Amino acid sequence: MTLMRSTVLAFGLLASSSLVAAGPCDIYASGGTPCVAAHSTTRALYNSFSSPLYQVRRASDSATINISPLSAGGVANAGAQDSFCAGTTCLITVIYDQSGRGNHLTQAPPGDFRGPEANGYDNLASAIGAPVTLNGQKAYGVFVSPGTGYRNNVASGTARGDAAQGMYSVFDGTHYNGGCCFDYGNAETNNRNNGNGRMEAIYYGDNRGWGTGAGSGPWIMADLENGLFSGINTGNNGGDPSITWRFVTAIVKGGSNLWAIRGANAASGSLSTYYSGARPRVTGYNPMQKEGAIILGIGGDNSISAQGTFYEGVMTSGYPSDATENAVQANIVAARYATTGLNSGPGLSVGSSVSLRATTACCANRYLAHTGNTVDTQVVTSSSSAALRQQASWTVRAGLGNSACYSFESRDRPGSYIRHYDFALQLNADDGTKQFREDATFCLQPGFNGQGNAVRSWGYPTRYFRHWANVTYTASNGGVHEYDSAGLFNDDASWVVGAGFA
Ligand code: AHR
Ligand code: AHR
């Protein structure tokens, strides 16, 4: 026992002293459990990695650009993305595998569930939904809205059958929901639910359909197919805590009748083990029958209801030791993940009354207003009726779902806010739900046509306030709805924010 302890301690010291400059995958390799997939839009996960981290595509001309680290082992060159995407919108098209195995993640295809694209594929993530800083340098995570997903069905080197693997991810602990299933990890190769034990991925969120932990969530759980597991029991395991950190390190690892859930604040401190032991006591999970595909943001069968934010994550070959993972956690903490503003350009003053004027040639005398519960545009002047002037005036509030952005409260119906529902803009009373508050939260960026501002949905950052036939939507720049049409998008989605009429 004494001998074992000192061996572990010696390894821990070795890991933290001789690997000071090592990236997460260098640490896993020296622990004998190398990365077989390594994904991050924020930084290199090997000390020597300097190749592209991810690819973005802009809407204006469908051109793509690869974003690489600023230096080997360093933080992504977010400035290159910002220049490339100026005046248009960008989507993350590829998240490259840094392991050298070519296990890149791309737009997930339809499975048991179809994605929202016309061809059944899932949506791609906005390139700007999840800005952060690492050691003071700006980078972007992958902001997954419901409907968004990435996958690789032909991954090489990932665990198959009952073989052992490790996984960690860094997530935004405050961005989650109860939908199925915000996952990163090992899943079916055919996008379908092939039965118990066919997948083994990290899950993050407050889904209560299968497992739960202590409190009301969100929890780190293991998605093992037909079940999210928080420990040995199906259902509740009190050892799996609700997570409250902004940045979360989430770990799931699994071998032969042995698996574990571990977690930590990704910005400080060390990992705790929330479960370690035998496979769940239900048929089909021992032995496991992992298939080895890789998913991000979706369930194994392409369930697309979940949301969350992914910054970095890896899958390993072999069952990593706790000591190896502890050294990886120290590396993540040293990367110094921190929040940064969600708005770009000058902000709005909370409490002020504003108007938003359309800038498309057809409609430059029209303002964002409401008629009943419908948010539309109307011709308004200072001599319009008092009622209309109020209907076209909005009180700026701190974002109900994220105070780094804004909500727009009705002037004539205090307590009611602009929110999207089925992507149409509506005026509804705040019902206090997380869903309402997120639907009513919008972030500002410079207008696409050089005028005013674009108003981006916090929860669906590919979508912006847009007028279409004089009613309004959160529209994407090209997409399945008529109002997503790329023609005139830049004008329709740019608004001059001025003083309110009332
Ligand atoms: O195990 C939970 C979910 O169940 C899986 O992600 C999905 O494939 C199935 O719907
Ligand atoms: O507007 C899109 C979604 O539609 C909203 O998030 C939700 O409230 C509704 O189902």
Side-chain angles (χ1 to χ4, degrees):
M1 190 63 196
T2 316
L3 181 67
M4 239 180 72
R5 272 217 187 106
S6 57
T7 311
V8 170
L9 184 64
F11 179 81
L13 289 176
L14 182 75
S16 50
S17 59
S18 70
L19 292 171
V20 177
C25 287
D26 303 308
I27 296 168
Y28 278 112
S30 68
T33 50
C35 293
V36 292
H39 300 113
S40 177
T41 54
T42 62
R43 65 171 182 143
L45 300 176
Y46 292 84
N47 193 40
S48 63
F49 190 82
S50 58
S51 301
L53 300 169
Y54 64 105
Q55 182 192 70
V56 303
R57 187 179 68 214
R58 65 183 174 204
S60 52
D61 59 359
S62 295
T64 58
I65 190 179
N66 283 334
I67 304 299
S68 298
L70 286 161
S71 58
V75 175
N77 186 357
Q81 176 186 308
D82 288 341
S83 319
F84 182 76
C85 300
T88 185
T89 55
C90 274
L91 299 172
I92 298 174
T93 36
V94 186
I95 305 164
Y96 292 109
D97 172 24
Q98 302 177 29
S99 80
R101 290 181 172 269
N103 291 332
H104 312 312
L105 293 172
T106 56
Q107 189 168 23
D112 288 336
F113 294 90
R114 282 178 66 80
E117 296 275 28
N119 59 6
Y121 274 60
D122 298 353
N123 287 327
L124 293 165
S126 160
I128 58 166
V132 286
T133 60
L134 282 75
N135 278 310
Q137 289 172 312
K138 190 174 182 189
Y140 293 101
V142 184
F143 189 101
V144 170
S145 310
T148 303
Y150 294 82
R151 195 168 194 125
N152 182 322
N153 283 336
V154 293
S156 88
T158 47
R160 304 291 200 281
D162 207 30
Q165 66 168 1
M167 297 172 288
Y168 88 85
S169 270
V170 177
F171 297 136
D172 177 344
T174 65
H175 183 210
Y176 62 89
N177 70 6
C180 176
C181 289
F182 182 71
D183 288 351
Y184 173 74
N186 195 316
E188 289 94 340
T189 52
N190 63 352
N191 321 311
R192 311 203 58 174
N193 180 344
N194 293 335
N196 296 4
R198 295 295 184 133
M199 56 184 295
E200 184 175 70
I202 307 170
Y203 165 82
Y204 187 73
D206 68 349
N207 184 296
R208 290 174 175 72
W210 293 283
T212 55
S216 55
W219 305 282
I220 303 166
M221 297 194 275
D223 190 343
L224 305 181
E225 190 52 277
N226 291 313
L228 303 175
F229 291 90
S230 53
I232 183 88
N233 303 310
T234 54
N236 184 260
N237 291 282
D240 196 25
S242 290
I243 302 290
T244 55
W245 303 303
R246 171 62 175 77
F247 295 102
V248 186
T249 307
I251 285 182
V252 168
K253 53 183 167 179
S256 182
N257 198 23
L258 173 66
W259 69 289
I261 305 175
R262 306 184 75 207
N265 180 343
S268 71
S270 49
L271 284 161
S272 300
T273 301
Y274 301 151
Y275 177 73
S276 177
R279 291 289 179 182
R281 291 190 272 250
V282 264
T283 311
Y285 300 101
N286 183 30
M288 294 288 285
Q289 300 176 72
K290 289 173 241 188
E291 295 193 19
I294 307 173
I295 53 172
L296 171 59
I298 48 177
D301 56 5
N302 197 45
S303 293
I304 45 157
S305 307
Q307 65 183 26
T309 295
F310 172 92
Y311 301 105
E312 59 178 78
V314 310
M315 299 167 70
T316 70
S317 166
Y319 197 84
S321 69
D322 285 2
T324 297
E325 290 167 346
N326 296 345
V328 169
Q329 163 66 9
N331 171 279
I332 295 166
V333 170
R336 290 186 51 225
Y337 272 93
T339 56
T340 186
L342 282 164
N343 303 299
S344 48
L348 300 178
S349 133
V350 170
S352 67
S353 172
V354 297
S355 60
L356 290 92
R357 184 175 62 77
T359 61
T360 316
C362 62
C363 306
N365 59 347
R366 303 187 74 95
Y367 290 81
L368 191 76
H370 75 94
T371 302
N373 291 343
T374 302
V375 177
D376 54 13
T377 62
Q378 297 191 47
V379 178
V380 189
T381 67
S382 53
S383 49
S384 297
S385 70
L388 181 56
R389 282 187 282 123
Q390 289 206 355
Q391 285 158 14
S393 300
W394 306 95
T395 308
V396 177
R397 301 294 181 200
L400 296 172
N402 186 320
S403 59
C405 295
Y406 302 107
S407 291
F408 296 96
E409 186 178 11
S410 167
R411 185 76 178 76
D412 55 324
R413 277 209 221 155
S416 286
Y417 295 82
I418 299 176
R419 63 87 59 97
H420 60 87
Y421 189 89
D422 205 10
F423 304 123
L425 292 182
Q426 299 187 354
L427 185 64
N428 288 161
D430 177 9
D431 62 11
T433 60
K434 181 169 172 289
Q435 181 77 67
F436 178 91
R437 305 195 125 218
E438 293 179 353
D439 289 348
T441 300
F442 302 95
C443 313
L444 243 62
Q445 64 189 69
F448 297 114
N449 64 1
Q451 296 183 61
N453 288 100
V455 187
R456 184 174 80 243
S457 162
W458 172 80
Y460 291 83
T462 57
R463 298 184 164 276
Y464 294 82
F465 276 17
R466 181 193 196 162
H467 60 95
W468 180 264
N470 300 335
V471 288
T472 60
Y473 300 88
T474 44
S476 62
N477 191 359
V480 294
H481 308 101
E482 200 183 18
Y483 57 76
D484 294 327
S485 159
L488 289 180
F489 180 89
N490 282 6
D491 290 334
D492 291 352
S494 300
W495 305 80
V496 171
V497 183
F501 292 99

